[in-house]
Amino acid sequence: MHYSQQLKKYGDSKSAIRELAAYGSRRAREIGEENVFDFSLGAPSVPAPARVTQTMLHLLQTVPPEKLHGYTAAEGDLSVREKIATYLSTRYGIENRPDRVYVMAGASAGLAMVTRALRDSSDDEFVCLAPFWAEYTVFIDTAGAQPVVVPPDYSTFEPDREAFEAAVNEHTKAVFIDQPNNPSGVLYREETLTWLANTLRKKEKEFGHPIYLIADEPYRELAFDGESPYMPHYYADTIIVYSFSKALSLAGERIGYIYVPESVTDGDIIYSVIKGAGRALGYSCAPALMQYTIAENLDITADISVYHRNRDLLYTMLTDLGFECVYPTGAFYMMVKSPSGDGKEFSHTAQAHDVLVTPSDTFGIPGYVRVSFCVSSDRITRSQPAFAQLAQHYGLRPAQ
Amino acid sequence: MHYSQQLKKYGDSKSAIRELAAYGSRRAREIGEENVFDFSLGAPSVPAPARVTQTMLHLLQTVPPEKLHGYTAAEGDLSVREKIATYLSTRYGIENRPDRVYVMAGASAGLAMVTRALRDSSDDEFVCLAPFWAEYTVFIDTAGAQPVVVPPDYSTFEPDREAFEAAVNEHTKAVFIDQPNNPSGVLYREETLTWLANTLRKKEKEFGHPIYLIADEPYRELAFDGESPYMPHYYADTIIVYSFSKALSLAGERIGYIYVPESVTDGDIIYSVIKGAGRALGYSCAPALMQYTIAENLDITADISVYHRNRDLLYTMLTDLGFECVYPTGAFYMMVKSPSGDGKEFSHTAQAHDVLVTPSDTFGIPGYVRVSFCVSSDRITRSQPAFAQLAQHYGLRPAQ
């Protein structure tokens, strides 16, 4: 064929999220934006901190343009990598290794690169802990490897332990983990992390090769009830993929970093192979102005108290109406169980009430919808009557 | 293996250009930057136009950050695509099709995406017209296809016609062309473009499938003696990969676009497959601030008169000393023939005189060096004695 059959599939496929967004735009033109309760998107609603804007203005006003906008090293400007490494070293009490920081164009870029860097054979398997961000399987499939999905224990939204142990085999190259989780907002408990690390260490020994944990961290800073765990503290073979998209509300600017901790098996080689992956995928360097900008703002975040307040507001509102919700300790998403047991049906019925929520099937599990609360608090409050009608439709009994 | 053998190769490989740059930095610390005549790099020396900086400042001061730095559509913000399509339509007298513009993170990204979008089988071949930018072969190899190199006719630095006709066969998916050429600065003559288009049309008919021309255009605006040809005017199945890196001196910011003209066979499908490729490679969107910035500056370029002047200065200086040079009509590179016939030897000998130039082997041909003139005119003038010593070393006779 004169084009890629595999990539045509991904170019054509309409994601449920984008279809909802398109419907939302059309519907807003019909009945007014204020009457459409769109909870389908995952874009930060809080502005970037004023200091971030000030940094950009200052750089533009003081640095010669040919320097400011010039190529950096493919792995990022050295001064930027030094600042990130020093920050990580101080914050997590780890080594200071700028030569293990690869500044890249957001978490998507990092995940695509790391997946390709670790893939060596079409038998290679990458484990996704459901629910998970759907693009993982796109990166795995197009790298020429096999995705393996592990279902959750629905009582905790942590991995089903038996299923996980059965899923990891001699072909397993890596396991994706994101905390706080998209779409559930869940942080795994301490004992779960310890079990996960012990299991992976046991499997590494059993199969005689490293099994990497890819810690996908776009939501790291959005934890409401205590800090997100730093996975290299639990498991040596962890590769960090961090993004400033949500932490600094810079999602469209494509800026983040990969960190290969000192503890990682063959870490220098892995770092070098990641560089090879960046070259193969055409990532000359991460956007230069954004590199210099985040380097001056590592210690701050956007005002996440808005998401925290929204979480409380939405959780109380929906549980009061009788909906069964997974309590999110971070990110800006909440999983709500479909009263009919069918996530698509629930999403469809909600749509008829101008409430837009994403079926959980998109994230590898049935029976739920994802409600995004990266919206104005006002939208949540005003959606109460619509959700109340939905509760009535399903015959839910208000909580006492 | 627990990592990609193929990508390790690209992560490890030291490019001649980067090694020269590293040597240049070390040497500058020893003898002073002003005494190292580094002509190895391809980074714009001219600043971005003041209007570009003003646009960024204005956007930062007037657009709410959550909007300015938010995700755009994967293919680029619609208003940006509309402005690009209208500009192309007016400039080249073509259709106005924003739905065929894909705003992406620079030419490297575009080339990686288009190569993968067109590749469907490991037998697929992509033709590179030597001399060519070395990363073409990285994109082709890592997409899982075969690069086929066509040597130049050394009297013109245009493709050897016989070799080209022999190289295009039933497996040929696409041909890369960049004008003005990196590393030769050459624009093909009118008759050559017509021959190229006729040959490809003949081959399309013979083999019964499209053969796409990938017009790689980072240097389009850097043409000194008349405008660069617009390839869709010659050949219908041309896909444009344009970059603002050199046109607006924004190389580190990663911004450009792919354009799939109306004339392209299965153009809607190709555009969709390119979207699939962007998704597979983790390109969520091109950097948002840069999208809005270039949209307001499509009609201007950085001050290319500096490169024009440098071209004249360098060409006169080197030919006066007896060096044989390929006359560049664009870009900011000049090919100089090695007096010994060996490009690497010439580069090495020049290095001993603190003159850094890149062996042509990097670009798929032997026997030359590439001299980059994206430097201060002063550096060219001050390098005269060093080049004179080199001429003497090789026993060259000054031109009369």
Side-chain angles (χ1 to χ4, degrees):
Chain A
M1 204 56 195
H2 54 282
Y3 48 78
S4 163
Q5 301 294 295
Q6 185 192 40
L7 296 177
K8 179 165 192 306
K9 196 172 63 186
Y10 294 120
D12 284 348
S13 73
K14 303 262 184 279
S15 87
I17 299 175
R18 293 201 173 192
E19 288 204 351
L20 280 169
Y23 173 83
S25 301
R26 282 199 307 278
R27 188 69 179 143
R29 281 193 295 273
E30 287 168 23
I31 61 168
E33 204 184 340
E34 70 285 4
N35 297 312
V36 181
F37 305 110
D38 189 346
F39 299 106
S40 67
L41 291 173
S45 55
V46 170
R51 205 175 95 187
V52 168
T53 304
Q54 288 308 319
T55 302
M56 290 186 205
L57 291 171
H58 183 73
L59 288 166
L60 286 165
Q61 284 157 345
T62 57
V63 182
E66 66 276 20
K67 164 88 185 86
L68 182 60
H69 304 302
Y71 288 115
T72 72
E75 64 271 28
D77 182 77
L78 179 58
S79 74
V80 173
R81 288 185 287 124
E82 284 173 345
K83 282 174 186 162
I84 293 171
T86 299
Y87 178 75
L88 292 178
S89 174
T90 307
R91 178 165 174 188
Y92 300 112
I94 59 165
E95 70 279 356
N96 190 327
R97 291 284 301 265
D99 60 326
R100 292 292 187 84
V101 175
Y102 188 112
V103 187
M104 49 66 197
S108 299
L111 294 167
M113 285 161 59
V114 171
T115 305
R116 279 172 171 75
L118 297 181
R119 184 271 187 200
D120 195 47
S121 144
S122 56
D123 292 332
D124 288 347
E125 296 180 358
F126 288 74
V127 174
C128 304
L129 307 174
F132 59 90
W133 185 45
E135 297 301 290
Y136 289 172
T137 58
V138 180
F139 301 141
I140 296 165
D141 179 39
T142 59
Q146 311 302 322
V148 173
V149 175
V150 170
D153 174 341
Y154 286 91
S155 69
T156 57
F157 268 74
E158 294 179 342
D160 180 296
R161 294 191 180 192
E162 211 172 307
F164 182 75
E165 302 219 15
V168 177
N169 62 45
E170 68 271 31
H171 298 300
T172 307
K173 298 305 286 282
V175 176
F176 288 93
I177 185 172
D178 70 324
Q179 301 182 85
N181 179 267
N182 172 10
S184 77
V186 162
L187 285 170
Y188 297 167
R189 289 164 303 167
E190 181 76 19
E191 63 163 273
T192 304
L193 298 173
T194 305
W195 157 80
L196 184 75
N198 286 340
T199 305
L200 286 174
R201 271 190 291 270
K202 194 182 69 187
K203 298 282 186 181
E204 282 192 326
K205 194 170 281 180
E206 182 180 347
F207 302 121
H209 61 75
I211 298 173
Y212 296 104
L213 191 65
I214 303 172
D216 173 26
E217 302 205 325
Y219 300 101
R220 155 166 292 283
E221 315 305 347
L222 280 61
F224 311 130
D225 310 316
E227 199 175 358
S228 300
Y230 193 64
M231 292 312 297
H233 287 162
Y234 294 84
Y235 184 63
D237 280 333
T238 299
I239 299 169
I240 300 285
V241 178
Y242 184 90
S243 168
F244 296 93
S245 288
K246 276 81 182 186
L248 291 177
S249 289
L250 294 174
E253 303 298 359
R254 316 312 305 139
I255 189 75
Y257 62 79
I258 298 167
Y259 185 63
V260 182
E262 203 159 67
S263 59
V264 163
T265 306
D266 289 332
D268 287 337
I269 297 177
I270 297 297
Y271 184 83
S272 177
V273 182
I274 288 169
K275 283 171 73 168
R279 225 178 128 184
L281 303 192
Y283 285 100
S284 304
C285 62
L289 174 63
M290 293 303 150
Q291 290 192 40
Y292 303 120
T293 298
I294 58 95
E296 302 304 321
N297 292 283
L298 296 169
D299 58 331
I300 61 169
T301 69
D303 179 9
I304 70 154
S305 72
V306 176
Y307 303 133
H308 192 153
R309 195 165 61 241
N310 283 356
R311 188 270 312 261
D312 295 345
L313 199 60
L314 184 69
Y315 187 82
T316 306
M317 184 177 99
L318 293 186
T319 51
D320 279 356
L321 287 168
F323 288 101
E324 195 177 311
C325 305
V326 180
Y327 186 73
T329 51
F332 39 51
Y333 307 113
M334 194 165 73
M335 297 293 267
V336 181
K337 196 168 180 180
S338 169
S340 71
D342 181 338
K344 286 181 188 165
E345 181 281 328
F346 186 19
S347 169
H348 196 73
T349 303
Q351 193 173 319
H353 291 79
D354 294 315
V355 171
L356 307 184
V357 292
T358 312
S360 62
D361 310 72
T362 302
F363 308 101
I365 61 164
Y368 287 76
V369 295
R370 183 189 79 171
V371 184
S372 300
F373 51 82
C374 44
V375 298
S376 66
S377 305
D378 180 57
R379 185 182 300 176
I380 297 173
T381 311
R382 287 187 302 99
S383 71
Q384 202 276 348
F387 274 110
Q389 283 177 23
L390 277 168
Q392 195 172 32
H393 168 86
Y394 288 112
L396 300 183
R397 300 173 56 161
Q400 298 301 308
Chain B
M1 205 56 196
H2 54 283
Y3 48 80
S4 164
Q5 301 293 295
Q6 185 192 41
L7 295 177
K8 180 166 191 302
K9 195 172 63 186
Y10 294 119
D12 283 350
S13 73
K14 302 263 184 280
S15 87
I17 299 175
R18 291 199 176 194
E19 288 205 350
L20 279 168
Y23 173 83
S25 301
R26 282 200 307 277
R27 188 69 179 144
R29 282 193 294 273
E30 288 169 22
I31 62 170
E33 204 183 339
E34 70 284 4
N35 297 311
V36 181
F37 305 110
D38 190 346
F39 300 105
S40 67
L41 291 173
S45 56
V46 170
R51 205 176 93 186
V52 168
T53 303
Q54 287 308 320
T55 303
M56 291 187 205
L57 291 171
H58 182 73
L59 288 166
L60 286 164
Q61 284 157 345
T62 58
V63 182
E66 65 277 20
K67 163 88 185 87
L68 182 61
H69 305 302
Y71 289 115
T72 72
E75 63 271 28
D77 182 78
L78 179 58
S79 75
V80 173
R81 288 185 287 123
E82 284 174 344
K83 282 175 186 162
I84 292 172
T86 300
Y87 178 76
L88 292 177
S89 174
T90 307
R91 178 165 173 187
Y92 300 113
I94 59 166
E95 71 279 357
N96 190 327
R97 292 284 302 265
D99 59 326
R100 291 292 186 83
V101 175
Y102 188 112
V103 187
M104 50 63 197
S108 299
L111 295 167
M113 285 161 60
V114 171
T115 305
R116 277 171 172 77
L118 298 180
R119 184 270 186 201
D120 195 47
S121 145
S122 56
D123 292 332
D124 287 348
E125 297 181 358
F126 288 74
V127 174
C128 304
L129 307 174
F132 60 90
W133 185 45
E135 297 301 289
Y136 289 172
T137 57
V138 180
F139 301 141
I140 297 164
D141 179 39
T142 58
Q146 311 302 322
V148 173
V149 175
V150 170
D153 173 341
Y154 286 91
S155 68
T156 58
F157 268 74
E158 294 179 341
D160 180 296
R161 294 190 179 194
E162 210 172 308
F164 182 75
E165 302 219 14
V168 177
N169 63 44
E170 68 271 31
H171 299 299
T172 307
K173 299 304 288 281
V175 176
F176 287 93
I177 185 171
D178 69 324
Q179 301 181 85
N181 179 268
N182 172 12
S184 78
V186 163
L187 285 170
Y188 297 168
R189 289 164 302 165
E190 182 75 20
E191 63 162 272
T192 305
L193 298 173
T194 306
W195 157 81
L196 184 74
N198 286 339
T199 305
L200 286 174
R201 272 190 290 269
K202 193 182 71 187
K203 298 282 186 181
E204 283 192 327
K205 195 169 281 180
E206 182 180 347
F207 301 121
H209 62 75
I211 299 173
Y212 296 104
L213 191 64
I214 303 172
D216 174 26
E217 302 205 324
Y219 300 100
R220 154 166 294 282
E221 315 304 348
L222 281 60
F224 311 130
D225 311 315
E227 200 176 357
S228 301
Y230 192 64
M231 292 313 295
H233 287 162
Y234 294 85
Y235 185 63
D237 280 333
T238 299
I239 298 169
I240 300 284
V241 178
Y242 184 90
S243 167
F244 295 94
S245 288
K246 277 81 182 187
L248 290 177
S249 289
L250 294 174
E253 303 297 0
R254 315 313 303 139
I255 188 76
Y257 61 81
I258 298 167
Y259 185 63
V260 182
E262 204 159 65
S263 59
V264 163
T265 306
D266 290 331
D268 286 338
I269 298 177
I270 297 297
Y271 184 84
S272 177
V273 183
I274 288 169
K275 283 171 74 169
R279 225 178 128 183
L281 304 192
Y283 285 100
S284 304
C285 63
L289 174 63
M290 294 302 150
Q291 290 192 39
Y292 303 121
T293 298
I294 58 96
E296 302 304 321
N297 292 282
L298 296 169
D299 57 332
I300 61 169
T301 69
D303 179 10
I304 71 154
S305 72
V306 177
Y307 303 133
H308 192 154
R309 195 166 60 242
N310 283 356
R311 188 269 313 260
D312 296 344
L313 199 60
L314 185 69
Y315 187 81
T316 305
M317 184 177 99
L318 293 186
T319 52
D320 279 356
L321 287 168
F323 287 100
E324 195 177 313
C325 305
V326 179
Y327 187 73
T329 51
F332 38 51
Y333 307 112
M334 194 165 73
M335 296 293 267
V336 181
K337 196 167 180 179
S338 169
S340 71
D342 182 339
K344 286 182 189 164
E345 181 282 328
F346 187 20
S347 169
H348 196 75
T349 303
Q351 193 173 319
H353 291 79
D354 294 314
V355 172
L356 307 184
V357 292
T358 313
S360 61
D361 311 73
T362 302
F363 308 100
I365 61 163
Y368 288 75
V369 295
R370 184 188 77 171
V371 185
S372 300
F373 51 83
C374 44
V375 298
S376 66
S377 304
D378 180 56
R379 186 183 299 176
I380 296 174
T381 311
R382 287 187 302 99
S383 71
Q384 202 277 348
F387 274 109
Q389 282 176 25
L390 277 167
Q392 194 174 31
H393 168 86
Y394 287 112
L396 301 183
R397 299 172 58 157
Q400 295 304 309

